[in-house]
Amino acid sequence: MSFKQRIFQSSLGRKYVMALTGALLLLFLIAHMTGNLLVLSGPDAFNAYGHYLKTHPQLLWPMRIGLLITFVVHIYLAISLSIENNAARPNAYAFKNTVQATLTSRYMMLTGTLTLAYLIYHLLHFTIGVVQPQYFSGVDGENRHDIYTMFVMGFRNPIVYVSYLIAQINLVFHLKHGSRSVFQTMGWNQARFKGLINGFSLTYVTIIFVGFLLGPTLILLNVIKLPGEM
Ligand code: HEM
């Protein structure tokens, strides 16, 4: 049996890979959120950031492909482990633990599925340009893709804003549990680390929630404006 087969066939191996892909996605979100915060620095900085990525395919494409593989493996393992979890028959000794594990896995599957639905909507919006095509193809004075105007016009629409707000609330629930599970799977969940792990997970989700919604909220409140309105 190959190393790959052994990892994917043992339930512990799959849990490790699940934790590893989850941890990579936690890192991706921090990087993505930091990039989005550039919208606070104005149109030039934000469009320059988008332009840099688009004109460096040697950076963008490995990142995109790596991210896609990470998402696919994470989702595949979530489904396979959840099926296994649901199939586990509770016995007299392990009943409480099994019920608890099943509830947690159902809750993670629900918030995870909603996150995936949100991701598809989000890619249709900002990467493919199907949700608001009228703001998608503009260019700025320097002939760069005008992602600043696309972003501002997007979040001026209260329906778009509320859809992202709801998605972020759901994401917080998924990440709150997910960020703690990574430590648990790695076996770092001894009682003395509990406070530290909870503190980390709370800090992480707060940064993600505030960091992602800061720009959109300032746009909705008309604090962040288009270049012509400043
Ligand atoms: C309020 C929250 C968010 C905002 C405002 C936002 C904004 C954006 C924008 C403007 C882009 C396009 C960038 C460009 O064209 O250069 C983008 C791309 C993307 N976002 Fe988000 N994002 C948010 C949350 C998320 C979350 C939670 C995820 C993952 C679960 C995510 C995953 C992605 C991915 C995978 C891409 C495509 C990157 C690529 O084109 O390769 N985003 N986002």
Side-chain angles (χ1 to χ4, degrees):
M1 202 188 283
S2 73
F3 178 69
K4 197 176 97 197
Q5 272 174 328
R6 261 184 292 148
I7 290 279
F8 279 87
Q9 278 177 13
S10 92
S11 144
L12 193 63
R14 277 180 287 154
K15 276 189 189 143
Y16 276 129
V17 179
M18 181 87 197
L20 176 71
T21 52
L24 288 174
L25 294 171
L26 294 179
L27 288 177
F28 159 72
L29 284 177
I30 290 286
H32 184 13
M33 181 207 76
T34 310
N36 282 6
L37 282 173
L38 279 176
V39 78
L40 305 178
S41 308
D44 189 50
F46 200 52
N47 287 347
Y49 159 66
H51 187 71
Y52 181 84
L53 286 181
K54 288 220 165 87
T55 50
H56 288 79
Q58 68 277 33
L59 202 77
L60 184 64
W61 278 100
M63 226 166 59
R64 280 183 164 165
I65 293 167
L67 200 55
L68 182 68
I69 294 173
T70 311
F71 267 116
V72 169
V73 170
H74 190 74
I75 293 165
Y76 166 77
L77 291 179
I79 296 170
S80 108
L81 284 168
S82 156
I83 291 173
E84 200 174 280
N85 219 341
N86 286 337
R89 286 272 137 252
N91 65 44
Y93 300 106
F95 182 72
K96 198 160 168 264
N97 283 345
T98 310
V99 169
Q100 187 55 45
T102 308
L103 282 178
T104 308
S105 113
R106 282 212 185 121
Y107 160 86
M108 285 306 275
M109 284 302 281
L110 175 68
T111 54
T113 306
L114 292 173
T115 301
L116 178 63
Y118 160 64
L119 182 60
I120 293 169
Y121 162 74
H122 179 51
L123 293 179
L124 289 173
H125 188 193
F126 285 135
T127 302
I128 305 174
V130 175
V131 177
Q132 291 178 312
Q134 66 277 34
Y135 307 130
F136 187 68
S137 309
V139 287
D140 68 5
E142 294 188 37
N143 217 19
R144 299 175 296 200
H145 185 201
D146 191 359
I147 58 169
Y148 182 84
T149 300
M150 168 181 91
F151 200 94
V152 172
M153 293 310 288
F155 288 108
R156 270 192 187 173
N157 181 331
I159 298 174
V160 170
Y161 179 85
V162 170
S163 66
Y164 274 80
L165 175 65
I166 294 171
Q168 287 297 314
I169 294 172
N170 171 67
L171 186 66
V172 159
F173 284 110
H174 192 74
L175 298 180
K176 180 86 179 49
H177 180 80
S179 55
R180 272 184 286 150
S181 298
V182 171
F183 294 100
Q184 192 162 11
T185 306
M186 302 321 266
W188 300 327
N189 58 334
Q190 291 95 328
R192 64 198 157 111
F193 294 142
K194 207 169 171 218
L196 208 63
I197 292 171
N198 281 341
F200 165 82
S201 133
L202 193 65
T203 309
Y204 176 85
V205 293
T206 307
I207 291 174
I208 288 291
F209 186 75
V210 175
F212 267 122
L213 286 174
L214 188 61
T217 306
L218 292 177
I219 289 167
L220 193 74
L221 298 175
N222 215 19
V223 176
I224 293 183
K225 300 177 186 164
L226 292 179
E229 301 163 344
M230 290 175 186

